[in-house]
RNA sequence: GCGGGGGUUGCCGAGCGGUCAAAGGCGCGGGAUUUAGGGUCCCGUCCCGUAGGGGUUCGAGGGUUCGAAUCCCUCCCCCCGCACCA
């Protein structure tokens, strides 16, 4: 039995020595394909294997189609996880040690050494390189690099200078989840609770107290309802009066605490009991109406400011609370509120929708059966439903001043902005879910970080440029184009500076490091430079801005670029020529996890920095890989490393399996049992080819022509699938379906298998390159990896042969079907359809309807004689007329009688006289009468 | 909530107006074999059927059509993203 690992190693070595995947400009058309460089806080795993194998299969395919293919790869190490990992290992964190020894397959003694980021980078890049070589990717390894390389950092600095010049990097302030204890922003995986929480922006409308300089900041998500405010709510409990940016605010204690993390200057003045203010009046800004402060229990002091405005017409909670209060004589007395005050709180309807008449909140509360403000579940539902309806279909009514007739969705934004501009409102950030708790056990808050560097992705012009270019791009699968459109719209400014991590410092503000997704946007251009860097021709000190401007953007001239760089002019020109030749990237193939981040930034930065002809041409997206139905996790396991998969199953098995496991962005599941099965298939393939490949080709039979014809169909299918990057379909057609045809062929006694083997090996070579290379060399001296991919040749399609084989398959099936019903069956008599039926069938095939067919047939005297039978035949056959097959059945059966006999185990005879008439009658062309005895 | 994808026969998964009881793989059952229970090759695998046939299926319910897994509408359910993290 063939040892695949031996074969694979052999050819990997030969490929490397022959440098067949090292790509340099020549006169062929180029194809530049890239895969996002892997992040090295662990070993490469099945997820990387999938993305990279798709890329490699496509690279190989394109190479065989005659393109000069550049397929490079580097390693990503900037950011925080590697530092975090080093700390964990240094700390001897048990869980980490377990995961890294058990799943990442790092030997314990090696692992314990990895206590600094540098050692980790060194170790895992070495491991990755080995794994990638073991699986035999056709990567041009002369261009490998790591993102902490000095030269790479120089390249990043250059990029950031460019963006800065263009005004695309701005200073800004933004809210983050923040742990007061750690004094650090927290990421999802740093959280104990509240991973799903998002930061919600409340509008805080400032209601001024009558006769006193005190602001009641009412937090709301529906600022447009300000026109319907009848009162405000506080909870009868302790609050705080604080100085906030020079104003005196009345807020809950929790709110005060939160305010201290914002960019506002805050100072507590004193604690107060809300009761002191209940019954007093405040002024509704903008509308200048005086409304009372009233008590309500539903108010959550831990949500925003702890003060809310009441809009009974549109907020079910407010409506219910007012109704409660009306009924609660005791409470009114307790707070000294005159009954009439509450009775006078009439809902003010300010939004119109087609569906909701009257007072919407009242209607909906009644519909759902809300009894009091304590019916929290019902009220939540009512609030949601109402909000949804009004937001999407509502229109502002006449009582909303100059917002009248605006759509609610628009008015909301507008009012929010206008109020803030006028100093009548502010913003308050709050979590959408609570609590949010840090791993250290501390409750997190929203902190507003100021003066950070941002990539100005919200910039309309920048967005439009990306959006426009997207329309010219090929996105695979194509429905992702819509996804990209939406994501581009949704993208906001992104903080690109960090305080900790590995990476490049912002060149004009060295306090900050460039965030690790922000330094991975246009690095594909760096592959051009990397070759020269690795050759020692180019060093960091040569890479001046002027030099990079010239080689990457064509700015300035070679002469002065060379001077600035301290390089020979011809070197500079060569690098420039390389870049001109290879750029842009023709295909970037990536996992779908990068859609909403990296791939977006990739587009934004290319569009900003390079001229249009250098913008990306195509993006392909693929799904994840799970393990026996379980999600893989780098940090928790389970995980299957690339290296282990190759060790266990072999490179080609791994590749073929992963390519066939799923299509496009659907997720693949790695089932070791199926992988074993595939390994068997491949071994069978190997020995099959080996047994036949060197045989002398013999005279072509009809069956051989059938095989060739089928091979042509496979070629067409595979090419079509690969052109769309459908690797699953391609492997299915190239491997499994051809295999099935070959099986049939051999069963039929075919002896000329060799006629398709060259094509088959070429066809399969992008998917199982080692085995194909090995087999190919049984007969050839060239590399199958560099052969041209089989072309579909219409002239080799043989419809007749295909029909004949189909006919035989069907016939044998039918005989077996009938045989089931005959005990001790020994013989089969076959009577193909009579001559007149064939004539009639020909007419039927060309007729539009039954009537026309019969009319035509009845013109023939012979047909008329058996008119009734003809009519019945036509009626019976018409519906499936496309299935009618006209061929010389008798001859075909005679020629293949041995085969039919051996397949069915019956003695075959064409002696029609033995077939009863009622059987003969059912025969139609392509489906003879069968009589089994 | 918003956006994107999806629900197909035991499982994975193709099909996306007729060629569909629906490819292929896996699993399962049976047979063959120079049969070691693991390899290979056949056959079967929704239900019924002593003649190649019939019946019922493709999340649910309506509709369009001569004809729907495939098109339209409504509903239910599942997955992914929503960020400063690679």
């Amino acid at each position: 039995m063939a040892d695949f690992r031996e074969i694979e190693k052999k050819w990997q070595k030969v490929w490397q020595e022959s440098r067949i995947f090292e790509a340099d400009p020549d006169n062929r058309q180029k194809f530049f394909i890239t895969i996002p460089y892997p992040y090295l806080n662990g070993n490469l795993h099945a997820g990387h294997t999938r993305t990279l194998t798709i890329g490699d299969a496509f690279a190989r395919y394109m190479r065989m189609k005659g393109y000069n293919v550049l397929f490079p790869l580097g390693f990503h190490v900037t950011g925080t996880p590697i530092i975090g990992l080093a700390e964990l290992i240094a700390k001897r964190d048990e869980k980490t040690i377990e995961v890294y020894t058990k799943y990442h397959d790092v030997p314990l003694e090696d692992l314990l050494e990895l206590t600094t980021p540098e050692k980790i980078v060194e170790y895992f890049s070495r491991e990755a390189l080995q794994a990638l070589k073991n699986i035999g990717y056709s990567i041009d390894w002369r261009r490998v690099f790591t993102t902490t390389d000095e030269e790479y950092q120089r390249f990043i600095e250059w990029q950031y200078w460019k963006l800065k010049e263009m005004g695309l990097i701005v200073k800004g302030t933004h809210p983050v989840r923040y742990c007061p204890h750690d004094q650090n922003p927290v990421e999802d995986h740093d959280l104990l609770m509240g991973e799903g929480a998002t930061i919600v922006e409340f509008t805080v409308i400032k209601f001024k107290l009558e006769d006193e300089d005190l602001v009641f900041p009412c937090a709301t998500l529906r600022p447009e309802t300000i026109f319907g405010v009848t009162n405000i709510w506080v909870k009868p409990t302790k609050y705080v009066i604080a100085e906030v940016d020079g104003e005196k605010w009345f807020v809950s204690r929790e709110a005060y605490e939160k305010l201290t993390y914002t960019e506002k200057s805050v100072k507590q003045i004193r604690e107060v009991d809300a009761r002191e203010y209940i019954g007093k009046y405040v002024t509704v800004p903008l509308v200048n109406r005086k409304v009372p402060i009233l008590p309500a229990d539903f108010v959550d002091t831990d949500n925003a400011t702890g003060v809310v405005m009441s809009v009974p017409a549109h907020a079910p909670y407010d409506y219910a609370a007012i109704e409660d209060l009306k009924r609660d004589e005791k409470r009114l007395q307790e707070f000294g509120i005159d009954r009439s005050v509450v009775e006078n709180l009439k809902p003010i309807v300010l939004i119109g929708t087609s569906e909701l008449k009257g007072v919407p909140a009242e209607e909906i509360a009644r519909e759902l059966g809300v009894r009091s403000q304590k019916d929290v579940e019902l009220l939540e539902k009512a609030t949601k439903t109402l909000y949804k309806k009004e937001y999407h279909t509502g229109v502002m009514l006449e009582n909303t001043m100059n917002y009248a007739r605006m759509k609610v969705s628009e008015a909301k934004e507008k009012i929010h902005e206008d109020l803030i501009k006028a100093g009548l409102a502010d913003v308050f950030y709050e979590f959408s879910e609570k609590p949010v708790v840090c791993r250290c056990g501390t409750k997190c808050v929203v902190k507003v970080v100021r003066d950070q560097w941002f990539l100005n992705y919200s910039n309309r012009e920048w967005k439009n440029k990306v959006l426009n270019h997207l329309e010219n791009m090929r996105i695979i699968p194509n429905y992702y184009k819509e996804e990209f459109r939406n994501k581009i719209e949704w993208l906001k400014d992104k903080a690109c500076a960090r305080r900790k991590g590995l990476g490049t410092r912002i060149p004009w503000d060295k306090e900050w490091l460039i965030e690790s997704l922000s330094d991975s946007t246009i690095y594909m251009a760096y592959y051009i430079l990397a070759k020269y860097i690795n050759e020692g021709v180019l060093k960091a000190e040569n890479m001046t801005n002027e030099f990079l401007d010239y080689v990457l953007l064509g700015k300035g001239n070679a002469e002065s670029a060379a001077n600035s760089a301290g390089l020979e002019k011809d070197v500079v020109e060569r690098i420039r020529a390389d870049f001109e030749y290879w750029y842009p990237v023709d295909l970037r193939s990536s996992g779908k996890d990068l859609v909403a981040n990296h791939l977006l930034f990739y587009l934004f930065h290319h569009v900003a920095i390079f001229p249009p002809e250098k913008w990306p041409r195509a993006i392909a997206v693929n799904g994840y890989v799970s393990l026996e139905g379980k999600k893989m996790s780098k940090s928790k396991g389970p995980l299957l490393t690339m290296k282990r998969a190759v060790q266990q199953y072999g490179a080609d098995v791994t590749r073929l399996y992963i390519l066939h496991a799923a299509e496009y962005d659907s997720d693949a599941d790695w089932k070791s049992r199926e992988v074993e099965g595939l390994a068997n298939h491949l071994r069978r393939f190997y020995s099959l080819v080996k047994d036949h490949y060197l045989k002398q080709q013999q005279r072509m039979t009809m069956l051989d022509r059938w095989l060739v014809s089928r091979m042509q169909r496979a070629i067409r299918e595979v090419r079509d699938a690969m052109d769309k990057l459908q690797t699953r379909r391609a492997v299915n057609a190239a491997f499994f379906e051809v295999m099935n045809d070959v099986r049939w062929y051999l069963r039929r006694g075919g002896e000329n298998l060799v006629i398709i083997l060259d094509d088959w090996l070429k066809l399969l070579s992008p998917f199982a390159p080692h085995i194909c290379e090995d087999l190919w060399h049984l007969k050839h001296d060239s590399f199958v990896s560099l052969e041209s991919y089989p072309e579909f040749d219409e002239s080799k399609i043989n419809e007749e042969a295909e029909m004949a084989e189909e006919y035989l398959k069907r016939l044998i099936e039918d005989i077996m079907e009938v045989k089931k019903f005959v005990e001790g069956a020994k013989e089969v008599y076959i009577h193909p359809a009579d001559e007149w039926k064939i004539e009639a069938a020909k007419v039927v095939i060309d007729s539009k309807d039954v009537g026309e067919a019969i009319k035509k047939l009845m013109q023939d005297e012979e047909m008329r004689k058996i008119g009734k039978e003809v009519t019945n035949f036509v009626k019976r056959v018409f519906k499936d007329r496309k299935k009618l097959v006209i061929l010389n059945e008798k001859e075909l059966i005679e020629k293949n009688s041995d085969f039919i006999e051996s397949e069915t185990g019956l003695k075959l005879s064409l002696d029609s006289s033995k077939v009863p008439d009622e059987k003969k009658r059912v025969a139609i062309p392509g489906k003879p009468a069968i009589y089994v005895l």
Side-chain angles (χ1 to χ4, degrees), chain A residues 32 79 87 104 137 165 172 221 268 270 272 277 298 346 456 509 536 563 598 667 685 701 742 766 843 886 896:
Chain A
F32 186 13
E87 284 167 7
H104 288 265
Y137 292 139
E165 276 166 30
L221 293 171
Q268 179 166 339
R270 64 185 167 97
V272 289
Y277 292 93
F298 76 85
K346 294 277 180 286
N456 189 206
D509 188 356
N563 276 339
H598 164 70
D667 299 337
F685 165 77
T701 64
V742 167
V843 172
I886 312 284
N896 293 290

Side-chain angles (χ1 to χ4, degrees), chain A residues 280-320:
Chain A
K280 293 194 175 177
Y281 279 77
V282 291
T283 307
V284 185
L286 203 65
V287 286
N288 287 318
R289 191 162 55 226
K290 290 208 181 339
V291 298
I293 301 171
L294 296 175
D297 291 320
F298 76 85
V299 174
D300 176 4
T301 55
D302 194 16
N303 192 28
T305 56
V307 185
V308 294
M309 63 189 205
S310 165
V311 187
H314 298 284
Y317 268 111
D318 298 338
Y319 176 79

Side-chain angles (χ1 to χ4, degrees), chain A residues 96-139:
Chain A
T96 303
I97 289 174
E98 190 199 326
V99 168
Y100 274 79
T101 49
K102 184 169 165 194
Y103 295 114
H104 288 265
D105 298 326
V106 181
L108 184 63
E109 62 274 22
D110 290 351
L111 185 70
L112 296 180
E113 291 296 310
L114 305 181
T115 50
T116 65
E118 292 72 26
K119 286 181 187 167
I120 291 182
V121 169
E122 203 270 327
Y123 179 85
F124 284 120
S125 51
R126 201 176 57 227
E127 283 292 302
L129 198 59
Q130 197 52 54
L132 292 161
K133 287 190 170 171
N134 286 351
I135 199 168
Y137 292 139
S138 59
I139 291 171

Side-chain angles (χ1 to χ4, degrees), chain A residues 854-917:
Chain A
I854 293 175
K855 209 175 272 172
K856 278 195 227 159
L857 285 167
M858 289 309 151
Q859 281 162 18
D860 183 317
E861 205 171 313
E862 292 303 311
M863 290 288 181
R864 238 180 292 141
K865 279 185 193 158
I866 46 170
K868 198 157 188 187
E869 250 183 292
V870 173
T871 310
N872 282 338
F873 173 78
V874 172
K875 277 184 190 159
R876 182 152 64 91
V877 134
F878 191 83
K879 200 175 154 225
D880 290 327
R881 63 191 183 284
K882 281 183 189 138
K883 284 191 203 159
L884 292 170
V885 175
I886 312 284
L887 38 73
N888 191 336
E889 300 180 37
K890 230 172 196 150
E891 190 190 308
L892 193 60
I893 295 167
E894 263 163 13
K895 267 196 186 154
N896 293 290
S897 60
D898 287 351
F899 179 65
I900 297 169
E901 289 189 345
S902 74
E903 287 288 316
T904 59
L906 298 173
K907 178 98 182 69
L908 173 75
S909 166
L910 277 164
D911 182 358
S912 308
S913 62
K914 287 275 173 51
V915 181
D917 280 349

Side-chain angles (χ1 to χ4, degrees), chain A residues 779-795:
Chain A
K779 206 163 164 176
H780 307 273
D781 289 328
S782 59
F783 288 107
V784 71
S785 304
L786 302 180
E787 282 293 316
S788 38
Y789 212 63
E791 297 271 358
F792 172 67
D793 181 351
E794 178 85 55
S795 71

Side-chain angles (χ1 to χ4, degrees), chain A residues 689-804:
Chain A
V689 175
K690 214 168 180 182
D691 291 349
H692 289 84
Y693 203 25
L694 294 177
K695 283 192 184 160
Q696 200 62 40
Q697 189 180 320
Q698 297 171 19
R699 230 188 87 248
M700 291 275 278
T701 64
M702 195 64 171
L703 182 63
D704 295 342
R705 277 193 273 276
W706 171 83
L707 186 64
V708 169
S709 183
R710 294 290 300 168
M711 178 47 86
Q712 289 306 313
R713 292 196 189 275
I715 290 168
R716 184 167 61 183
E717 176 78 359
V718 174
R719 290 183 77 112
D720 185 61
M722 281 309 279
D723 288 339
K724 295 170 182 153
L725 227 80
Q726 294 177 307
T727 60
R728 181 190 170 93
R729 202 179 124 216
V731 169
N732 211 41
F735 188 62
F736 293 101
E737 292 190 347
V738 174
M739 197 61 146
N740 279 342
D741 285 338
V742 167
R743 251 185 246 164
W744 173 256
Y745 174 81
L746 295 174
R747 191 169 145 200
R748 289 273 284 116
E751 288 176 332
N752 236 350
L753 190 62
V754 63
I755 51 176
I756 61 155
L757 292 184
D758 274 349
D759 274 347
W760 201 12
L761 289 175
K762 287 193 247 173
L763 203 63
L764 267 177
S765 162
F767 317 115
H770 306 89
I771 292 174
C772 291
E773 197 69 81
D774 196 59
L775 291 165
W776 180 260
H777 280 260
L778 291 174
K779 206 163 164 176
H780 307 273
D781 289 328
S782 59
F783 288 107
V784 71
S785 304
L786 302 180
E787 282 293 316
S788 38
Y789 212 63
E791 297 271 358
F792 172 67
D793 181 351
E794 178 85 55
S795 71
K796 288 183 181 160
I797 291 285
N798 191 325
E799 302 274 2
E800 199 192 339
E802 290 189 22
M803 249 196 245

